[in-house]
């Protein structure tokens, strides 16, 4: 599949959702060949999940940046938001099944704690890796690396 085309397709499909939140979304691309062997349906779900999380956990209007690059051995996609961030003590657990960052008795955002576990599983099944960097009050960046060979 052409991963660049897939990313662009998902961004177009989410246009109404972005407009609803008045989101500012940008995509930068570095490289020319974004072909990889993968499951289109599951990779689309990975993209939706990361972008929906960026929308849900950001103040209005959300600012979301995607960076897609190609190196000799990997495609790298970074999805960055300027949202609430994830406390450092929970970063190591966010890919666990059913884990949600504790917020006391109040959950302002709906979810079951399955999305990031699913995302990490799909990335692993594609022989890739996923990493997260986050600072409370500043934002979060997910980095997905997928092999091209």
């Amino acid at each position: 599949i052409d991963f660049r085309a897939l990313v662009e397709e998902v961004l177009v499909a989410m246009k109404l959702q972005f407009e609803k939140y008045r989101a500012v979304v940008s995509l930068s691309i570095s490289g020319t060949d974004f072909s990889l062997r993968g499951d289109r349906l599951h990779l689309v779900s990975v993209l939706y999940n990361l972008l929906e999380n960026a929308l849900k956990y950001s103040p209005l209007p959300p600012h979301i940046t995607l960076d897609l690059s190609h190196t000799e051995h990997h495609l790298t996609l970074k999805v960055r938001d300027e949202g609430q961030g994830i406390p450092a003590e929970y970063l190591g657990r966010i890919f666990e099944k059913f884990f949600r960052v504790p917020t006391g008795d109040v959950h302002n955002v709906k979810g079951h704690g399955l999305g990031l576990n699913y995302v990490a599983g799909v990335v692993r099944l594609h022989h890739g890796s996923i990493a997260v960097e986050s600072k409370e009050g500043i934002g979060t960046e997910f980095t997905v690396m997928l092999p091209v060979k």
Side-chain angles (χ1 to χ4, degrees):
I1 59 173
D2 181 341
F3 195 62
R4 174 184 177 166
L6 205 63
V7 170
E8 291 171 340
E9 182 182 313
V10 169
L11 291 175
V12 168
M14 291 186 70
K15 186 176 191 291
L16 289 176
Q17 208 171 347
F18 294 144
E19 288 174 358
K20 174 184 172 186
Y21 287 92
R22 298 183 327 271
V24 177
V25 181
S26 63
L27 170 63
S28 68
I29 297 170
S30 173
T32 55
D33 181 12
F34 293 93
S35 300
L36 62 83
R37 293 182 54 88
D39 185 297
R40 184 181 196 288
L41 176 67
H42 288 294
L43 291 172
V44 164
S45 295
V46 164
L47 295 169
Y48 272 107
N49 190 284
L50 293 174
L51 290 166
E52 286 172 347
N53 280 353
L55 283 174
K56 288 193 293 189
Y57 295 104
S58 292
L60 295 178
H63 289 262
I64 302 168
T65 304
L66 293 89
D67 295 313
L68 179 60
S69 62
H70 171 261
T71 63
E72 184 178 350
H73 300 290
H74 290 95
L75 298 182
T76 301
L77 175 69
K78 295 182 180 217
V79 178
R80 183 179 323 108
D81 66 53
E82 296 175 5
Q84 66 192 43
I86 302 165
E89 64 265 30
Y90 300 117
L91 280 175
R93 299 192 59 200
I94 62 167
F95 297 113
E96 291 178 15
K97 195 172 195 175
F98 302 119
F99 180 77
R100 295 191 67 200
V101 174
T103 57
D105 290 335
V106 178
H107 279 287
N108 296 330
V109 178
K110 294 186 188 308
H112 299 286
L114 294 171
L116 289 176
N117 177 261
Y118 168 79
V119 165
V122 169
V123 170
R124 277 193 302 273
L125 287 172
H126 283 83
H127 306 287
S129 64
I130 185 166
V132 62
E133 292 182 27
S134 188
K135 293 201 183 325
E136 277 188 275
I138 297 191
T140 302
E141 179 178 88
F142 286 93
T143 302
V144 175
M145 291 183 68
L146 299 169
V148 292
K149 304 224 185 238

